[in-house]
Amino acid sequence: MFRTALRNLLAHKTRLMMTALAVLLGTAFVSGTLVFSDSVGGAYRDRLSKSLDDVAVSVTTGGPSTDPKEQTALDSAMVKRIAALPGVASVRPSVSGMPMIADRHGDPVGGDWGSDGDNYVPGKNGKDSRYPLVKGRGPAAEGEIALDAKTAAKAGVTLGGTVRLAVDGPVIDKKLVGIVKTDNPRVSAGAGLALFDTATAQKLFGKPGEFTELAVSATPGTDQTALTAKVRATLPKTFEARSGQELAATQAKMIDEQTSSIRKTLLIFAGISLFVGVFIIANTFTMLIAQRTREIALLRAVGASRRQVVRSVLIEAGLLGLIASALGFVLGIGVATGLHPVLNGTGASLPDGPLVITPSAVLSALGVGVVVTVLAAWLPSRKAARIAPVEALASVEAAPAPRSLVLRNSLGAALTALGVGVMLYVTRFKDSGGINYAMAGSALTLAGLIVLAPLLSRPLVRLFGRLAIRLHGVSGKLARENALRNPRRTAATASALMIGLTLITGLTVGAVSADRGMSTMGAPDMTADYKVSSTSYLGLSPEIARTLAGQPGVAAAVPLRSAGFQADTSPGSVTATDVRALGKVLDVTVTGGSLGDVRGTTAVAVSDKFAKEHRLTVGSTLPMAFYDGKKATPRVVAVYKDTDILSSVLAAPALVDPHQEKVRDSQVLVKAAPGKAGDLAEKIKETLGKNPLIKVQSQDDLRRHEAGSIDDILYLMYGLLGMAVVIAVVGVVNTLAMSVFERTREIGMLRAIGLDRREVKRMVRLESVMIAMFGAVLGVGAGVFLAWSTGHLLRSSFPQYEMVVPWGRIAVFLLLALAVGVLAAVWPARRAAKLDTLEAIGAQ
């Protein structure tokens, strides 16, 4: 039977080619995902291991102490104390921070990643081994800086040029004296790197004489754990000592979690592609078995058992899966290479590194491909085994038994009804608590539609058939009859396309609806023209608001600053500003009291939501416990409607400023003078010295920012789901090609009675279009329904969300499905039209 399976595989290699292509594409996605995630994880770990090569113990400050006599800063005395311990080879004191380096346009290098700042610590040879020099020398004076090569290129500066940066204030200019290499994983993933001499780094990021970390290297043969214990014993309680092994393990765990999330996401889409491929494989083997009934009957007649027939088909499927999976793995290496720039294009900022091909990735890809192919061929193989020799010899292909279709339709109706019922139940939820129900309901609905598809195909194909007959006459009628002849085959072929379009439509409806909701979130109550904020967590100097207020074209510049506090047992946030000027930049709706009474340290206003949660009214006292340990009990003098700009409590700066370690504004709202809003953004940037720390956003910018990268993510999802759609198209081509083969004699008869080649091509094309449009209509309808029902889960966390059906995009999807039908039929139609009439009539 093995020889029989191998002979069948070789004899039908052309007909199995499309099925092999479906398996190949699916396993390529799986193997590509595994190789890609292993490569990214390897790149992170490689850089991490290099950056921790010489670190036996890391010493950092653990936090503030309640004892004023307790030492809380790492200083030179601590460096000397640790360096004197036995087993310590050297101690490298580090001073780190986050400078913002400006590019030629004044924007921060590194984007959202920002830049890492560190001190350059030269050894006896005058070089820092942690940052090998590529060009120039290390920084040695306050006006000097060194960058890594990528950061220098992004900033557009060469050796000897001027680097513009900011840390916590105005722009600073420094001379670039060196280009270095680094193994810092953050830098390799997209962040910038700036190096300063130690004194300058302390001035920029901390205090003179203080360090943020001590990296302790050990003498050869010293046990890291024992040395860590010695170092820990010499430190005050406010310091923390961790071994290099512990650091590596912690960061490796973080890397694994990050790469695991990427892997799981991509494997979901790979699973979808393979699931779509199941329909094609099952369809192919069902049709092959129908075409080989005489052969199977002869095998049965000469003594082959049912088990041997099943085994023969499964061996054939296994060999096909193995060959296709091996080719798919090779293609997957290309997929892994291509995923890196694609994901980095969406802002992933993944590190560069060599491809890592592990045995587990190879075995997983091959195993998945073989298992999926064998499982998909299992039902067709059992169907082959059930054919009695006499029945098989007497009939080429029997029509499906009415009972089996009735049972299938009943099961499909039950599954669809259950799935729809669960999704309707999901609409009762207002938060993510119903996500598990939504997932189960979506799966049941799709499964029900797949099972019910043969029944649904009849009315929809007849509808499309009427249009085809009206436009193309006999060819349209023949195409309709061909599509209706075997509803199971039509349904299986269309279901593959339906799954892809269901997911694409659902994602599109959800993304467009979220984008519409986000566009209303930006700052609906803001009447200011611009919002000025910081790209770092440090906030803005109060001097910025004062500077902007005096600029030509600025009608008002109102600063907002904030602080956290505890109200009863729950955390809260308070916004402080000049309430008298607030009305110039923000439309605040007051529902009780007067905002004009908010002043000093004794009066505040609260949002209506906060007031309801804490049972506050005008005249109530609000107990506030600030995080610096101090308390206040101001009186509520006004209640306002909740807004995205203000916190839950509004107060005067006099109440908040004493509780800030360093007074900083979180943002400044700028109102332009009449007719001056157009070019004010650039003037603001110029006024503030094109500081990379400062971000100036218009109302449109804020709306786009709130919407984030929804479109980028959506297009990425389209690309990932596109593999499933491609496999579905392959399925249409495969079904049509094999259908043409099994109808060779019929096509010959049609040609003999007057159907010309053009009409034969048209017949095959129209059949393909009907199958594609059936799958598209079913997929679009299911996608819209699932998106509508699942969207209810966002009502509490995203009240602005309102379902929007993007009819334009849906029309594009339907047109693409139409194009798929036409393109998928090109090869089968040409093959059908080229059949010789006499040879076709004589075909068995």
Side-chain angles (χ1 to χ4, degrees):
M1 296 307 293
F2 179 80
R3 286 197 299 270
T4 302
L6 184 60
R7 182 183 61 79
N8 285 330
L9 185 65
L10 295 174
H12 302 99
K13 52 183 178 293
T14 303
R15 279 177 265 173
L16 289 169
M17 184 175 62
M18 288 296 177
T19 304
L21 183 58
V23 179
L24 184 150
L25 292 174
T27 52
F29 209 159
V30 173
S31 59
T33 296
L34 296 176
V35 171
F36 170 74
S37 56
D38 288 340
S39 301
V40 171
Y44 272 121
R45 280 187 285 272
D46 181 56
R47 282 159 175 74
L48 176 63
S49 63
K50 288 180 181 177
S51 65
L52 295 176
D53 262 350
D54 298 328
V55 180
V57 185
S58 170
V59 180
T60 55
T61 55
S65 173
T66 54
D67 184 357
K69 297 181 181 180
E70 193 102 44
Q71 183 177 353
T72 59
L74 290 172
D75 54 17
S76 299
M78 185 63 67
V79 173
K80 292 178 181 178
R81 189 191 308 177
I82 295 174
L85 292 174
V88 174
S90 63
V91 179
R92 185 191 190 283
S94 294
V95 186
S96 58
M98 289 186 65
M100 285 291 174
I101 301 168
D103 62 16
R104 293 173 180 175
H105 306 290
D107 297 321
V109 170
D112 293 337
W113 285 81
S115 298
D116 284 355
D118 204 353
N119 59 321
Y120 189 84
V121 184
K124 294 179 180 179
N125 61 354
K127 298 179 181 180
D128 189 336
S129 59
R130 189 173 180 182
Y131 300 108
L133 283 165
V134 177
K135 292 180 182 178
R137 58 177 177 81
E142 185 174 356
E144 297 178 345
I145 189 173
L147 303 175
D148 72 293
K150 285 186 178 180
T151 303
K154 290 177 183 176
V157 61
T158 56
L159 210 61
T162 300
V163 178
R164 304 180 71 251
L165 69 143
V167 177
D168 182 20
V171 175
I172 304 169
D173 290 337
K174 293 189 180 294
K175 182 181 179 181
L176 182 64
V177 297
I179 304 290
V180 302
K181 292 191 297 185
T182 178
D183 295 313
N184 185 328
R186 261 180 49 85
V187 176
S188 66
L193 174 68
L195 302 177
F196 310 88
D197 67 282
T198 298
T200 302
Q202 289 174 333
K203 181 180 178 181
L204 292 174
F205 307 133
K207 296 178 181 179
E210 294 184 3
F211 306 102
T212 53
E213 181 186 14
L214 304 180
V216 182
S217 61
T219 56
T222 302
D223 181 70
Q224 278 195 12
T225 305
L227 182 59
T228 303
K230 289 180 185 178
V231 172
R232 191 175 287 132
T234 67
L235 297 173
K237 295 178 182 178
T238 51
F239 296 108
E240 183 179 7
R242 291 189 294 172
S243 68
Q245 295 167 346
E246 185 183 351
L247 273 176
T250 301
Q251 296 197 32
K253 184 179 179 181
M254 292 173 59
I255 290 168
D256 288 339
E257 289 175 354
Q258 182 177 358
T259 54
S260 175
S261 62
I262 296 173
R263 176 185 296 211
K264 288 176 181 177
T265 302
L266 294 175
L267 282 177
I268 288 173
F269 290 97
I272 293 169
S273 298
L274 284 171
F275 183 62
V276 170
V278 165
F279 291 92
I280 299 168
I281 299 164
N283 229 13
T284 301
F285 277 94
T286 299
M287 296 173 76
L288 282 175
I289 287 164
Q291 294 167 17
R292 283 165 24 202
T293 48
R294 287 182 182 274
E295 179 185 323
I296 294 170
L298 286 171
L299 289 172
R300 294 292 312 282
V302 297
S305 66
R306 290 188 175 186
R307 181 176 296 179
Q308 286 177 311
V309 172
V310 170
R311 193 180 303 156
S312 173
V313 175
L314 294 184
I315 289 172
E316 186 178 342
L319 290 172
L320 175 69
L322 183 62
I323 295 169
S325 299
L327 295 173
F329 185 82
V330 175
L331 179 61
I333 296 174
V335 171
T337 305
L339 276 172
H340 195 282
V342 169
L343 291 179
N344 273 349
T346 63
S349 295
L350 301 170
D352 297 325
L355 286 176
V356 177
I357 302 175
T358 62
S360 62
V362 178
L363 294 175
S364 297
L366 295 178
V368 166
V370 172
V371 168
V372 166
T373 310
V374 170
L375 287 177
W378 183 71
L379 284 177
S381 71
R382 291 189 49 93
K383 181 181 178 182
R386 286 197 298 267
I387 298 174
V390 175
E391 292 178 7
L393 290 170
S395 176
V396 176
E397 182 182 5
R403 179 177 172 77
S404 66
L405 284 176
V406 169
L407 288 174
R408 175 169 179 157
N409 293 339
S410 300
L411 177 61
L415 286 173
T416 305
L418 182 59
V420 171
V422 172
M423 295 309 294
L424 291 176
Y425 175 67
V426 167
T427 62
R428 299 178 58 186
F429 287 86
K430 295 183 178 180
D431 53 37
S432 59
I435 187 66
N436 290 331
Y437 290 103
M439 292 173 65
S442 299
L444 285 170
T445 303
L446 275 177
L449 288 174
I450 290 168
V451 176
L452 203 59
L455 178 65
L456 297 175
S457 68
R458 292 185 180 276
L460 286 173
V461 170
R462 287 186 187 280
L463 179 63
F464 296 134
R466 288 181 184 177
L467 181 60
I469 292 170
R470 182 171 297 180
L471 293 175
H472 300 289
V474 174
S475 297
K477 185 175 182 179
L478 289 171
R480 184 189 68 180
E481 296 307 316
N482 288 336
L484 291 172
R485 180 181 304 181
N486 193 329
R488 287 183 170 186
R489 183 186 302 170
T490 298
T493 307
S495 293
L497 188 60
M498 179 201 75
I499 293 167
L501 281 175
T502 296
L503 296 172
I504 288 174
T505 302
L507 283 171
T508 301
V509 172
V512 171
S513 301
D515 193 40
R516 184 73 59 86
M518 288 283 191
S519 67
T520 64
M521 282 180 63
D525 303 316
M526 193 176 87
T527 57
D529 296 292
Y530 295 98
K531 171 184 168 183
V532 180
S533 58
S534 175
T535 56
S536 75
Y537 63 91
L538 297 172
L540 301 170
S541 167
E543 185 62 31
I544 289 176
R546 290 192 286 269
T547 300
L548 293 177
Q551 293 302 308
V554 175
V558 181
L560 306 180
R561 60 191 63 151
S562 61
F565 67 93
Q566 286 284 130
D568 299 326
T569 58
S570 60
S573 178
V574 54
T575 297
T577 187
D578 180 359
V579 179
R580 292 171 299 176
L582 188 62
K584 298 177 182 178
V585 294
L586 196 64
D587 185 12
V588 183
T589 303
V590 179
T591 59
S594 172
L595 289 182
D597 295 332
V598 177
R599 52 181 176 270
T601 61
T602 59
V604 296
V606 297
S607 70
D608 52 358
K609 183 178 179 181
F610 186 83
K612 184 178 180 181
E613 290 174 351
H614 295 270
R615 299 180 181 179
L616 298 172
T617 59
V618 175
S620 299
T621 298
L622 174 62
M624 303 174 71
F626 290 93
Y627 294 123
D628 61 355
K630 299 176 183 178
K631 297 182 179 180
T633 53
R635 187 170 58 91
V636 177
V637 296
V639 178
Y640 56 89
K641 281 191 176 181
D642 198 50
T643 171
D644 293 327
I645 297 290
L646 300 178
S647 302
S648 49
V649 177
L650 178 64
L655 177 65
V656 171
D657 290 357
H659 306 289
Q660 290 188 320
E661 183 178 350
K662 196 172 184 180
V663 176
R664 282 287 184 269
D665 294 327
S666 58
Q667 56 187 286
V668 177
L669 301 182
V670 179
K671 181 69 175 178
K676 301 294 184 180
D679 59 347
L680 189 58
E682 286 303 317
K683 289 182 178 179
I684 291 174
K685 292 178 182 179
E686 291 285 348
T687 300
L688 300 177
K690 290 192 174 181
N691 193 321
L693 275 175
I694 296 173
K695 183 165 51 178
V696 181
Q697 295 170 290
S698 66
Q699 295 221 26
D700 286 340
D701 294 333
L702 289 171
R703 280 189 282 270
R704 283 194 293 269
H705 176 73
E706 290 293 341
S709 56
I710 289 178
D711 284 340
D712 291 340
I713 295 172
L714 181 61
Y715 293 136
L716 176 61
M717 295 296 185
Y718 283 165
L720 295 174
L721 287 172
M723 186 72 78
V725 176
V726 169
I727 293 174
V729 173
V730 169
V732 177
V733 175
N734 201 28
T735 300
L736 289 173
M738 298 187 74
S739 179
V740 167
F741 178 83
E742 73 179 14
R743 300 205 307 261
T744 298
R745 189 171 184 179
E746 177 187 318
I747 293 171
M749 293 295 293
L750 290 172
R751 290 291 313 282
I753 62 175
L755 200 68
D756 62 25
R757 293 181 187 272
R758 182 179 296 178
E759 289 175 316
V760 170
K761 284 184 180 181
R762 187 178 298 148
M763 175 187 71
V764 177
R765 278 199 298 267
L766 289 173
E767 181 183 353
S768 176
V769 167
M770 289 178 193
I771 293 172
M773 292 305 295
F774 166 54
V777 169
L778 215 56
V780 167
V784 171
F785 170 72
L786 295 178
W788 167 77
S789 50
T790 306
H792 286 75
L793 301 178
L794 300 172
R795 283 184 293 181
S796 62
S797 60
F798 190 2
Q800 293 84 359
Y801 181 91
E802 183 178 351
M803 180 174 158
V804 177
V805 180
W807 296 111
R809 294 197 189 188
I810 287 177
V812 171
F813 296 158
L814 293 175
L815 288 174
L816 287 175
L818 182 65
V820 162
V822 173
L823 292 175
V826 170
W827 177 55
R830 284 173 61 86
R831 187 169 181 269
K834 286 182 178 180
L835 289 175
D836 182 87
T837 303
L838 294 177
E839 289 181 3
I841 292 174
Q844 297 294 323

